[in-house]
């Protein structure tokens, strides 16, 4: 038995087989997949007709709510048979109870924001679909043909929300209408590019694919017109959602209830501390009087930290990721052999983001880290992105998500693929960046500046997100309470990001309350959990084993952070 096996949550034995709670979790997840073809596409499992789309009408929302309620009722009749079962039951109860609470507060249907509403889900689901065979392209054509019906159902839900609340923010309506314009425009549409690619690969499907794309684009064009004509006049000018709604959103993304006022003040103090550290590095690198922004500009121009060409970028990514696996395995983590491979990819003509996609269940396709490079970009700064490789790779998302996939004999299907809590997942990835700094992987001042730049962005999110939605005083950044304009001035000062990307970031914070701060707040809670375990070890007269704690904590998979806290305390 490896050290890794010794530190995981208590498994069910092969003789016992799945528990009743495991079976309920799996049956719930399978039924959810049937109701949500877009979720099926996202997780890569069978369970729905991928040629269809979700029902975004009130009837579809009610079907998912009914599933949650009946699953909760069934769960209350079951008794966990061991500690692993108890964690599964607690996790399922916490997530589904929140879903019911959201529905009861009117927050489930008719959502509209720039990143996570049906407007984006429909579009993005097509980008994720398999496209290797003619049959798969036929399925894509069928989904394109289903777009008008899906958007019609969504509009019914949106009108219901306009009638009964909660409020819809005008800024989100306007930005979403602009997104719809892009999808509808043949020259800019991702749907048209998709159809064109399919037609080139399978000319016999060209007519159907192009007609289906035209139908889908027209539906988005009609939606843009409806948003401007009918929805915008009924939308609220105010971006802020207020304290009560924000607390609910925060619980969803953290799986924990935090003191919002204390957290806001903590975020301000954290940001101040990070800025002070960056200013110290700027002086160390270039002497007195050099600002952080000037130091970053000089680092960008320094040939020691510049990479030219996407082939060289790929080599640097892969080496950085591989070196991290080699250095951390057996020292601060026990990484199973199947997970010691991470494939780095460079995606051309992309958006500029860096992201991770998990492995298949049998690891025949390993975890992959993607760098989506915009067209024409050929030069890259390693000082700023080394920490991102650790965030997306090891010890970040690859270790976290890959391990959940690896533990298929210990975690049921819903816990492996269906339970994702942002504060847990993104909080861990930020903790991973911090850990690499603690372990000396950012000893070079330039690399440490990049790590702190990443942390500064996430701390700024805490200040802006809570500040705007709770109506906190903007102080030096504006008159009165935080709003869009004061937040913009604040972000321009604190975030080293292209203004176009930063504008989208701000719209995201305003329209998706509680999600962006979950990274930094999640990291804070991960640190609290580590120190609690360290204290418990000291009280028991034993040395704290960081590797053992890492493996035990990750072995639970993604959980609400309160459920994780209870599970770790039980395991101490």
């Amino acid at each position: 038995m490896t050290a890794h096996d010794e530190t995981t949550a208590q498994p069910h034995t092969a003789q016992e087989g799945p528990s009743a709670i495991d079976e309920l979790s799996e049956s719930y997840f399978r039924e959810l997949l049937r109701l949500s073809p877009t979720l099926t596409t996202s997780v890569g499992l069978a369970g729905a007709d991928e040629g269809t789309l979700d029902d975004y009408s009130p009837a579809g929302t009610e079907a998912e709510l009914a599933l949650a309620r009946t699953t909760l009722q069934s769960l209350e009749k079951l008794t966990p048979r061991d500690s692993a079962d108890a964690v599964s039951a607690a996790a399922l109860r916490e997530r589904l109870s929140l879903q019911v609470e959201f529905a009861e507060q009117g927050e489930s249907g008719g959502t509209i924001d720039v990143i996570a509403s049906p407007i984006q889900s429909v579009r993005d689901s097509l980008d994720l679909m398999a496209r290797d065979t003619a049959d798969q392209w036929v399925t894509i054509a069928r989904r394109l043909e289903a777009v008008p019906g899906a958007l019609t159902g969504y509009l019914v839900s949106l009108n219901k929300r306009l009638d009964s609340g909660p409020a819809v923010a005008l800024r989100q309506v306007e930005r979403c209408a602009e997104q719809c314009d892009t999808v509808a425009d043949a020259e800019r549409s991702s749907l048209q590019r998709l159809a064109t690619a399919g037609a080139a690969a399978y000319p016999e499907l060209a007519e159907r694919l192009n007609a289906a794309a035209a139908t889908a684009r027209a539906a988005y064009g009609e939606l843009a017109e409806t948003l401007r004509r009918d929805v915008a006049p009924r939308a609220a000018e105010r971006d802020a959602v207020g304290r009560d709604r924000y607390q609910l959103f925060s619980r969803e993304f953290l799986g924990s209830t935090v003191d919002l006022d204390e957290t806001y003040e903590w975020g301000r103090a954290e940001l101040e501390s990070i800025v002070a550290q960056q200013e110290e590095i700027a002086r160390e690198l270039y002497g007195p009087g050099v600002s952080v922004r000037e130091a970053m500009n000089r680092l960008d121009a320094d040939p020691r930290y510049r990479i030219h060409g996407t082939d060289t970028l790929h080599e640097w990514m892969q080496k950085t990721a591989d070196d991290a696996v080699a250095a951390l395995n057996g020292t601060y983590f026990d990484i199973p052999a199947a997970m010691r491979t991470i494939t780095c990819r460079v995606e051309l003509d992309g958006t500029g983001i860096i992201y991770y996609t998990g492995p298949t269940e049998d690891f025949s396709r390993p975890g992959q880290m993607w760098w989506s490079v915009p067209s024409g970009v050929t030069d890259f700064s390693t000082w700023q992105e080394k920490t991102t490789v650790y965030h997306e790779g090891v010890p970040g998302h690859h270790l976290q998500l890959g391990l959940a996939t690896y533990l298929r004999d210990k975690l049921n299907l819903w816990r492996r693929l269906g339970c994702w809590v942002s504060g847990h997942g993104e909080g861990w990835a930020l903790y991973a960046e911090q850990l690499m700094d603690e372990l000396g992987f950012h000893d070079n001042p330039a690399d440490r500046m990049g790590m702190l730049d990443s942390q500064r962005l996430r701390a700024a999110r805490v200040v802006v997100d809570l500040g705007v939605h709770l109506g906190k005083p903007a102080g030096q950044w504006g008159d009165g309470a935080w709003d869009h304009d004061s937040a913009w001035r604040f972000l321009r000062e604190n975030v080293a990001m292209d203004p176009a990307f930063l504008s989208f970031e701000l719209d995201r914070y305003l329209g998706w309350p509680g999600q962006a701060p979950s990274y930094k707040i999640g990291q804070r809670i991960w640190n609290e959990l580590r120190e609690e375990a360290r204290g418990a070890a000291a009280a028991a007269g034993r040395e704290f084993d960081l590797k053992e704690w890492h493996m035990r904590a990750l072995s639970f998979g993604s959980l609400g952070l309160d459920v994780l806290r209870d599970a770790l305390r039980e395991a101490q």
Side-chain angles (χ1 to χ4, degrees), residues 177-249:
E178 292 168 2
Q179 290 182 354
C180 290
D181 289 338
T182 299
V183 179
D185 185 346
E187 293 186 358
R188 297 183 293 164
S189 176
S190 62
L191 306 188
Q192 187 58 57
R193 287 197 298 272
L194 179 67
T196 300
Y202 296 95
E204 68 274 19
L205 298 177
E207 183 177 356
R208 183 176 182 182
L209 283 166
N210 285 317
T215 298
R217 289 191 293 103
Y220 267 97
E222 292 168 8
L223 178 57
E225 182 180 351
T226 302
L227 290 176
R228 292 189 174 100
R229 183 190 66 231
D230 300 335
V231 177
R234 303 173 64 191
E237 293 278 355
R238 188 169 183 258
D239 293 303
V241 300
R243 182 175 295 270
D244 290 343
R245 291 180 69 195
Y246 193 88
Q247 188 79 75
L248 180 61
F249 294 135

Side-chain angles (χ1 to χ4, degrees), residues 433-451:
E433 293 187 50
Q434 165 205 313
L435 177 68
M436 295 301 271
D437 184 46
E438 293 172 346
L439 299 180
F441 285 78
H442 292 305
D443 280 352
N444 184 310
D447 292 335
R448 192 159 195 275
M449 181 70 90
M451 184 276 300

Side-chain angles (χ1 to χ4, degrees), residues 169-181:
L170 176 60
R171 191 182 312 278
Q172 302 300 314
V173 175
E174 292 173 340
R175 296 291 90 77
C176 284
E178 292 168 2
Q179 290 182 354
C180 290
D181 289 338

Side-chain angles (χ1 to χ4, degrees), residues 175-429:
R175 296 291 90 77
C176 284
E178 292 168 2
Q179 290 182 354
C180 290
D181 289 338
T182 299
V183 179
D185 185 346
E187 293 186 358
R188 297 183 293 164
S189 176
S190 62
L191 306 188
Q192 187 58 57
R193 287 197 298 272
L194 179 67
T196 300
Y202 296 95
E204 68 274 19
L205 298 177
E207 183 177 356
R208 183 176 182 182
L209 283 166
N210 285 317
T215 298
R217 289 191 293 103
Y220 267 97
E222 292 168 8
L223 178 57
E225 182 180 351
T226 302
L227 290 176
R228 292 189 174 100
R229 183 190 66 231
D230 300 335
V231 177
R234 303 173 64 191
E237 293 278 355
R238 188 169 183 258
D239 293 303
V241 300
R243 182 175 295 270
D244 290 343
R245 291 180 69 195
Y246 193 88
Q247 188 79 75
L248 180 61
F249 294 135
S250 177
R251 285 169 49 211
E252 177 192 21
F253 291 118
L254 293 174
S256 181
T257 301
V258 299
D259 181 327
L260 297 178
D261 297 306
E262 186 277 337
T263 301
Y264 175 74
E265 296 301 331
W266 167 82
R268 293 178 64 194
E270 185 75 2
L271 179 61
E272 184 178 331
S273 172
I274 292 168
V275 171
Q277 293 176 69
Q278 287 188 301
E279 289 173 343
E280 182 179 345
I281 293 175
R283 288 191 296 270
E284 179 184 352
L285 286 170
Y286 301 114
V290 176
S291 69
V292 172
R293 188 61 58 91
E294 175 60 24
M296 288 182 172
N297 290 338
R298 293 191 188 187
L299 286 171
D300 275 340
D302 192 326
R304 292 175 296 174
Y305 309 114
R306 298 293 286 172
I307 285 177
H308 181 75
T310 53
D311 289 343
T312 309
L313 172 67
H314 177 265
E315 292 172 7
W316 174 81
M317 281 178 68
Q318 191 68 61
K319 184 178 188 308
T320 304
D322 291 345
D323 287 351
V325 172
L328 295 179
N329 183 40
T331 53
Y332 297 98
F333 299 91
D334 283 317
I335 305 176
M339 290 173 52
R340 293 173 200 160
T341 297
I342 177 170
T343 301
C344 293
R345 306 277 190 192
V346 173
E347 184 178 30
L348 301 179
D349 299 324
T351 60
I353 65 171
I354 304 172
Y355 62 97
Y356 174 78
T357 56
T360 54
E361 285 209 287
D362 62 358
F363 286 86
S364 59
R365 185 193 70 202
Q368 299 178 90
M369 187 192 317
W370 298 79
W371 193 318
S372 179
V373 177
S375 177
V377 175
T378 58
D379 291 308
F380 311 91
S381 296
T382 62
W383 70 270
Q384 195 167 30
E385 300 299 355
K386 186 177 182 181
T387 193
T388 307
V389 174
Y390 299 145
H391 180 113
E392 302 295 345
V394 169
H397 288 319
H398 176 67
L399 187 57
Q400 172 193 47
L401 299 176
L403 189 62
T405 302
Y406 179 78
L407 294 175
R408 60 182 303 165
D409 60 331
K410 299 176 176 65
L411 302 177
N412 62 54
L413 182 67
W414 175 75
R415 284 184 62 185
R416 294 199 310 278
L417 298 179
C419 183
W420 168 259
V421 182
S422 179
H424 179 287
E426 299 297 351
W428 169 265

Side-chain angles (χ1 to χ4, degrees), residues 459-509:
R461 287 174 172 175
V462 175
V463 176
V464 164
D465 207 273
L466 275 79
V468 169
H469 291 293
L470 300 183
K472 294 286 188 179
Q476 71 183 90
W477 304 102
D479 297 328
W482 282 102
D483 60 11
H484 173 276
D485 292 346
S486 55
W488 177 250
R489 287 189 288 271
F490 170 84
L491 289 173
R492 289 284 284 151
E493 176 66 24
N494 284 285
V495 178
M497 186 180 289
D498 180 273
F501 287 113
L502 190 59
S503 178
F504 176 82
E505 280 282 299
L506 178 53
D507 288 339
R508 165 191 166 187
Y509 307 157

